[in-house]
Amino acid sequence: MRQLARYVAADALGPTGTNETQQNLENRKRAHLMGNITIIGTGNMARTIGTLAVAGGNTVEVMGRDQSKADNLAKALGGGATTGRWGAVPAGDIVITALLYDAVVPVVVEYGDALSDKVIVDISNPFNATFDGLAHSEETSIAQEVAKVAPASASVVKAFNTIFRNVLEKGRPNVFIAGDNAQAKAGVAAFIESLGLRPLDVGGLKMAHWLEGVGVVTVGLAGNGVGHWDFALGVNEFTG
């Protein structure tokens, strides 16, 4: 369990899929209208999503409380990635909070009106201390709590929380998303497609609670039935 705790605390979760051909990836890049993305955070998931975003043709801005870490990450991402000042208005239309769960709501409060008219994407998992349940006892989610404190003009989407980082780096997983604003979800779905991934809408923002539960199930599978981290949850469609 100590090994499990070290892995999960390091940053993220995930589902798997098959690798796309280089030609398919190039087709996706050409079809995708370049997006403007801001990543708040400088950890492992910030680096992984940022790398995919740059490769997918998106404009990427990095914000971190430690400016030197933000500068170093932007430099490592390449592709013209820039850094913004902590707490300033993000340049991206989509703002990804790549933070541990207990920091997400406080950071959204701290940014305040700087997040007006933005789409805020929460990717966190509020695991309890033993990684077999959620840290909150109510039927809520970090994304729903973010919606309570975010500016009224902002939209909140839950995404990426069921994907192990190592799988996200090398596979083509399904990315489950939840949110109340259809236009915001469409924008996030287009961004996900630009990464060569498959977005799957699970419904309104209240479904974020159940996505966080899926995160717990995924960790449970990694530690028990599957026994390793190189897998993902996804959807297969059958006809006939």
Side-chain angles (χ1 to χ4, degrees):
M1 180 59 76
R2 283 196 295 270
Q3 182 181 2
L4 174 65
R6 284 198 299 271
Y7 187 93
V8 175
D11 247 345
L13 272 205
T16 77
T18 57
N19 291 330
E20 275 198 317
T21 66
Q22 185 62 37
Q23 185 59 53
N24 285 343
L25 288 172
E26 291 301 322
N27 290 342
R28 283 178 177 271
K29 290 178 185 178
R30 284 194 292 270
H32 172 64
L33 181 63
M34 182 180 290
N36 295 315
I37 310 300
T38 292
I39 300 173
I40 299 179
T42 57
N44 293 327
M45 277 296 278
R47 180 178 296 272
T48 299
I49 293 176
T51 298
L52 292 172
V54 168
N58 299 279
T59 299
V60 178
E61 176 188 54
V62 178
M63 288 181 161
R65 199 179 291 276
D66 185 325
Q67 190 65 44
S68 64
K69 288 185 177 180
D71 291 340
N72 289 338
L73 177 54
K75 183 178 180 180
L77 294 178
T82 61
T83 55
R85 181 174 55 83
W86 181 265
V89 176
D93 299 318
I94 295 175
V95 179
I96 300 171
T97 55
L99 304 163
L100 296 178
Y101 81 88
D102 54 357
V104 177
V105 170
V107 165
V108 171
V109 170
E110 184 176 351
Y111 268 72
D113 289 341
L115 295 174
S116 295
D117 300 315
K118 303 296 183 181
V119 177
I120 304 168
V121 179
D122 165 45
I123 70 171
S124 68
N125 275 303
F127 296 129
N128 64 14
T130 52
F131 298 94
D132 60 1
L134 298 174
H136 47 68
S137 58
E138 301 177 19
E139 192 172 309
T140 186
S141 65
I142 300 301
Q144 287 167 278
E145 296 305 307
V146 166
K148 293 177 182 178
V149 301
S153 61
S155 299
V156 180
V157 175
K158 186 82 176 185
F160 292 102
N161 75 295
T162 62
I163 307 174
F164 289 120
R165 174 173 51 86
N166 62 301
V167 175
L168 184 60
E169 288 174 341
K170 62 188 178 184
R172 185 181 180 272
N174 293 331
V175 181
F176 303 121
I177 64 175
D180 289 336
N181 186 298
Q183 184 175 356
K185 282 197 290 188
V188 173
F191 168 65
I192 291 169
E193 288 180 341
S194 81
L195 310 184
L197 310 176
R198 180 191 183 197
L200 289 174
D201 185 352
V202 304
L205 195 61
K206 68 179 181 179
M207 292 297 291
H209 171 77
W210 304 107
L211 285 183
E212 291 179 352
V214 172
V216 176
V217 169
T218 307
V219 170
L221 286 169
N224 296 280
V226 176
H228 59 78
W229 308 99
D230 292 322
F231 75 96
L233 303 181
V235 174
N236 290 325
E237 300 177 34
F238 297 94
T239 59

